[in-house]
């Protein structure tokens, strides 16, 4: 819903009904890290510019740090899965150097 509102140019209010801005700020920080690839500190400072009184508990910062690591791992796994295998163009049977020398193939090179 945040992306859809931002595409329309709307302002989004993330509200914490539990009686504080900490959870709402955590949601916004996690959103910034995921949608824009922002680091934890940059996202925290961005939110803190708008909520001057924000003092997130250490446990929340640790949780957001773990979320950032998770996002980076997913990016790395995606990059590896899209990588072309290095030896994809090779074909034919594989042999050890000893097998090649016994068959006389090595002498041809």
């Amino acid at each position: 819903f945040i992306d859809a509102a931002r595409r329309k140019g709307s302002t989004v209010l993330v509200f914490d009904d539990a009686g504080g801005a900490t959870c709402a700020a955590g949601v916004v920080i996690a959103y910034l890290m995921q949608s824009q690839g922002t680091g934890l500190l940059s996202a925290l400072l961005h939110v803190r510019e708008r909520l001057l009184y924000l003092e997130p508990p250490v446990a929340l910062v640790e949780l957001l740090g773990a979320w950032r690591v998770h996002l980076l791992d997913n990016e790395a796994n995606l990059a590896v899965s899209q990588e072309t295998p290095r030896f994809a163009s090779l074909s034919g049977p594989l042999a050890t150097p000893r097998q090649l020398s016994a068959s006389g193939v090595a002498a041809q090179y």
Side-chain angles (χ1 to χ4, degrees), residues 3-26:
D3 284 334
R6 292 186 74 198
R7 279 192 294 273
K8 293 178 184 177
S10 300
T11 302
V12 178
L13 172 66
V14 180
F15 182 73
D16 177 10
D17 197 25
T22 303
C23 290

Side-chain angles (χ1 to χ4, degrees), residues 6-70:
R6 292 186 74 198
R7 279 192 294 273
K8 293 178 184 177
S10 300
T11 302
V12 178
L13 172 66
V14 180
F15 182 73
D16 177 10
D17 197 25
T22 303
C23 290
V27 168
V28 173
I29 291 168
Y31 168 78
L32 290 172
M33 289 191 301
Q34 182 174 5
S35 68
Q36 298 180 9
T38 307
L40 173 57
L41 183 60
S42 297
L44 178 62
L45 293 174
H46 179 80
V47 171
R48 207 167 193 186
E49 287 175 359
R50 286 139 183 88
L51 293 172
L52 301 177
Y53 56 86
L54 178 65
E55 289 294 333
V58 173
L60 178 61
V61 175
E62 289 174 350
L63 184 63
L64 290 167
W67 175 246
R68 179 66 177 154
V69 169
H70 172 76

Side-chain angles (χ1 to χ4, degrees), residues 98-106:
R98 181 173 287 165
Q99 290 169 329
L100 289 174
S101 64
S103 68
V105 175

